[in-house]
Amino acid sequence: MNLLLILLVSLLSCAAQLCQKQAAHCGGQRLFGWLVLSLLLLGTAMLLWLVVLRTVPVSVAYPMLSLNFVLVAVAARVIWRETYTRRQWLGTLAIVAGVALMGSHL
């Protein structure tokens, strides 16, 4: 259950970051809408994070949020067709390996 909650927090945080990126490309009313959505997602993620911290040591839980880097990078590649170097992908794989190691303790 803890692992699922951490994953949900990561997904919500990722979605909020993507909304902020989208807001940076918009203007006027659309900018405000994307920012409000981002704040709602971040607020929900924070509340769920508090639930996680009740049962998971912060030394284990916090490094798991590194998954956000992976989720945002993959989403940016899919949504905005951003390009990544081999070094960036290797770094992303290193993060995934670290998260897998940390998650194996949950």
Side-chain angles (χ1 to χ4, degrees):
M1 181 66 170
N2 290 328
L3 190 56
L4 289 176
L5 279 176
I6 292 171
L7 180 61
L8 183 56
V9 169
S10 288
L11 288 171
L12 289 168
S13 298
C14 173
Q17 295 296 321
L18 297 174
C19 288
Q20 291 170 26
K21 169 74 172 180
Q22 194 61 35
H25 291 291
C26 297
Q29 193 74 5
R30 294 183 73 205
L31 169 93
F32 183 73
W34 284 112
L35 290 177
V36 168
L37 181 56
S38 176
L39 288 173
L40 289 172
L41 291 167
L42 285 172
T44 304
M46 182 190 66
L47 293 174
L48 288 174
W49 183 244
L50 292 175
V51 173
V52 168
L53 291 177
R54 287 183 181 172
T55 57
V56 179
V58 74
S59 62
V60 174
Y62 193 72
M64 298 285 292
L65 288 183
S66 298
L67 188 57
N68 288 356
F69 296 116
V70 176
L71 295 173
V72 171
V74 170
R77 174 81 170 124
V78 170
I79 296 169
W80 295 292
R81 307 270 188 241
E82 292 185 5
T83 59
Y84 290 93
T85 64
R86 182 179 299 180
R87 177 178 276 184
Q88 286 171 302
W89 284 117
L90 287 173
T92 300
L93 288 174
I95 292 170
V96 169
V99 169
L101 285 172
M102 297 297 293
S104 67
H105 286 55
L106 290 178

